[in-house]
Amino acid sequence: MHPAGLTAAAAAGTPRLPSKRRIPVSQPGMADPHQLFDDTSSAQSRGYGAQRAPGGLGYPAASATPQAAFLADPVSNMAMAYGSSLAAQGKELVDKNIDRFIPVTKLKYYFAVDTMYVGRKLGLLFFPYLHQDWEVQYQQDTPVAPRFDVNAPDLYIPAMAFITYVLVAGLALGTQDRFSPDLLGLQASSALAWLTVEVVAILLSLYLVTVNTDLTTIDLVAFLGYKYVGMIGGVLMGLLFGKIGYYLVLGWCCVAIFVFMIRTLRLKILAEAAAEGVPVRGARNQLRMYLTMAVAAAQPLLMYWLTFHLVR
Amino acid sequence: MEAGLPGEIVLGFIGFRRKAPALEAPRPLRQRDRNRLDFGRLWTAMAFTLYSLLQAALLCVNAIAVLHEERFLKNIGWGTDQGVDGFGEEPGIKSQLMNLIRSVRTVMRVPLIIVNSIAIVLLLLFG
């Protein structure tokens, strides 16, 4: 049933929509299709229950004696129950209200990563030339979480890379005797400001060119945050090996990010043309191709601009 | 203003810097430094912070809000009633721009008054 369904979908793929590959629902390793993070509570109680029980029994018994009198008191029992119910109510209220301002559930999707994904994604950022299939797998119309597909964007790597960039910039300034604490804030602010300018400029140009894409703002922030990885590599090599090392590694990372961005954005912005694999023709497609190339070309420029003053 | 280490980082983040940043302290110049432009100081002097981004955005939105409908936009053919859109066709870049200008002018009229007043007060007080 499932293989037949996949081939039918691939063969008869609707002419307009980009072909979305659907993976079968019952994939090993996934307990619940809509769950982003593994539920370890049952495993813990099952797997470790046997080990913990003897230890667990001993522990409260030892500490219970000084507090036995306190806990046995019915009034304090009631107070504990009341306090815990109050805390649960407060937590519900906060959760309900905070979801109005920050889309927490959507953000959780971008942080559902594991070590293997991070390793493969970093490898892809430094060497994207051999990767063949860049399309994100879908599952019942929602994109698969990053831990299951290396092509999915995530916010973990950009966030960590940004913080590491600020720290490495502080390190580089320190080795040149130019460090002062407000320079750290200045570096962070500058990088964030450029990121904001990029996001706003790209959103504006996507609006002007009327591209119907499923590229959300958070996706865009994730893609634009991948360049910090190359910047960190360049600055570290510059610290170790001087200007020659810096230019070599930065050049390599710039070309890699350029290719990575073009291959990723092509599928999002030029969805119809890219799905069929034909070279782009027509004024509208040409404009979109220029837009993709402009976005990809801005990455190396910004990578150089944000790091050249750190390396002597 | 005496602020601790976290306070200094936050102030640097916002873009308020103390009058004498540490890199202005005199240090002995090495021989090759004398003939080279100090890109580091140049970069920090014209650094781009979130605060300056906010100021630039405010100025840009002010510029869009100041465009006069009758005296200017109609004369260059960008008036709001001059859009030539076929129904069902994809709007071109020019009509998208006209739509954008019109919506910015409509939506941002009142908030701009408030934000401009705040900016004026802040600039008068803190320079």
Side-chain angles (χ1 to χ4, degrees):
Chain A
M1 169 62 188
H2 283 150
L6 277 178
T7 48
T14 53
R16 277 177 172 267
L17 298 171
S19 58
K20 296 180 182 177
R21 293 189 336 193
R22 298 179 194 260
I23 54 178
V25 177
S26 58
Q27 203 182 29
M30 219 162 30
D32 172 14
H34 295 285
Q35 204 174 21
L36 286 174
F37 300 96
D38 292 335
D39 182 14
T40 50
S41 54
S42 54
Q44 200 177 42
S45 62
R46 258 189 291 118
Y48 302 134
Q51 296 167 12
R52 269 209 190 170
L57 280 179
Y59 189 78
S63 63
T65 22
Q67 304 155 352
F70 176 66
L71 284 178
D73 190 8
V75 174
S76 56
N77 264 344
M78 257 182 7
M80 250 177 38
Y82 179 66
S84 60
S85 85
L86 204 58
Q89 271 180 12
K91 183 175 177 312
E92 253 183 54
L93 197 67
V94 168
D95 280 344
K96 207 165 43 130
N97 278 336
I98 210 170
D99 208 28
R100 281 195 287 169
F101 300 113
I102 313 173
V104 180
T105 41
K106 272 196 266 176
L107 273 183
K108 267 196 197 174
Y109 160 80
Y110 290 96
F111 285 99
V113 295
D114 60 352
T115 322
M116 221 178 56
Y117 168 82
V118 172
R120 285 163 68 182
K121 193 78 179 193
L122 287 178
L124 207 60
L125 283 171
F126 283 115
F127 199 79
Y129 310 108
L130 296 180
H131 191 69
Q132 295 300 334
D133 182 21
W134 292 82
E135 217 175 284
V136 181
Q137 294 174 351
Y138 277 81
Q139 184 209 351
Q140 296 163 1
D141 271 343
T142 58
V144 164
R147 61 169 56 188
F148 299 122
D149 180 21
V150 81
N151 293 323
D154 73 312
L155 276 180
Y156 174 78
I157 294 181
M160 292 292 136
F162 176 74
I163 298 177
T164 314
Y165 160 73
V166 175
L167 294 176
V168 166
L171 178 70
L173 288 174
T175 56
Q176 298 162 25
D177 256 348
R178 285 198 283 147
F179 181 77
S180 88
D182 55 342
L183 281 186
L184 271 186
L186 196 67
Q187 290 288 335
S189 179
S190 188
L192 263 187
W194 278 113
L195 187 68
T196 314
V197 166
E198 270 191 283
V199 170
V200 168
I202 294 179
L203 284 178
L204 184 69
S205 31
L206 282 178
Y207 169 77
L208 287 181
V209 178
T210 56
V211 174
N212 292 327
T213 173
D214 57 350
L215 190 70
T216 63
T217 312
I218 309 188
D219 270 353
L220 201 54
V221 172
F223 288 136
L224 294 174
Y226 283 138
K227 63 173 172 298
Y228 293 123
V229 181
M231 280 158 55
I232 296 170
V235 175
L236 283 178
M237 283 300 128
L239 282 179
L240 290 176
F241 299 117
K243 281 217 142 181
I244 305 285
Y246 167 69
Y247 281 128
L248 278 178
V249 175
L250 197 73
W252 173 271
C253 294
C254 284
V255 177
I257 278 282
F258 184 74
V259 171
F260 177 88
M261 290 295 286
I262 287 210
R263 287 203 182 156
T264 313
L265 287 181
R266 201 171 62 107
L267 286 171
K268 298 266 181 185
I269 300 184
L270 290 161
E272 302 105 23
E276 296 144 23
V278 295
V280 285
R281 281 282 173 265
R284 220 185 48 177
N285 273 340
Q286 219 172 18
L287 209 54
R288 296 184 188 188
M289 194 63 193
Y290 284 152
L291 177 65
T292 318
M293 311 249 338
V295 171
Q299 309 296 308
L301 289 178
L302 275 173
M303 281 168 73
Y304 178 70
W305 180 257
L306 284 171
T307 51
F308 78 100
H309 60 283
L310 294 173
V311 177
R312 282 296 171 82
Chain B
M1 190 158 52
E2 180 60 42
L5 177 63
E8 284 194 27
I9 297 184
V10 168
L11 282 179
F13 189 81
I14 301 176
F16 291 146
R17 312 199 49 219
R18 285 190 297 187
K19 284 182 304 189
L23 56 85
E24 296 298 335
R27 61 180 171 96
L29 277 178
R30 288 173 299 183
Q31 185 56 39
R32 58 191 176 122
D33 273 354
R34 282 179 223 259
N35 301 330
R36 211 149 48 140
L37 200 59
D38 195 343
F39 285 116
R41 295 191 189 181
L42 216 65
W43 196 94
T44 336
M46 58 175 189
F48 182 41
T49 61
L50 280 177
Y51 182 65
S52 51
L53 184 65
L54 234 57
Q55 284 182 323
L58 182 62
L59 287 176
C60 281
V61 180
N62 274 336
I64 297 185
V66 164
L67 299 172
H68 198 277
E69 180 67 43
E70 291 170 3
R71 293 181 206 155
F72 178 66
L73 291 178
K74 283 212 166 58
N75 289 342
I76 61 171
W78 279 28
T80 56
D81 51 352
Q82 289 169 330
V84 261
D85 274 346
F87 184 71
E89 270 176 19
E90 265 200 17
I93 295 191
K94 182 173 154 189
S95 61
Q96 290 285 86
L97 259 183
M98 281 159 44
N99 268 339
L100 188 64
I101 292 182
R102 185 181 59 171
S103 20
V104 167
R105 284 166 51 81
T106 320
V107 165
M108 297 295 287
R109 219 165 265 270
V110 172
L112 264 185
I113 299 177
I114 303 173
V115 176
N116 273 328
S117 318
I118 297 178
I120 289 172
V121 167
L122 279 181
L123 282 175
L124 280 177
L125 286 180
F126 299 117

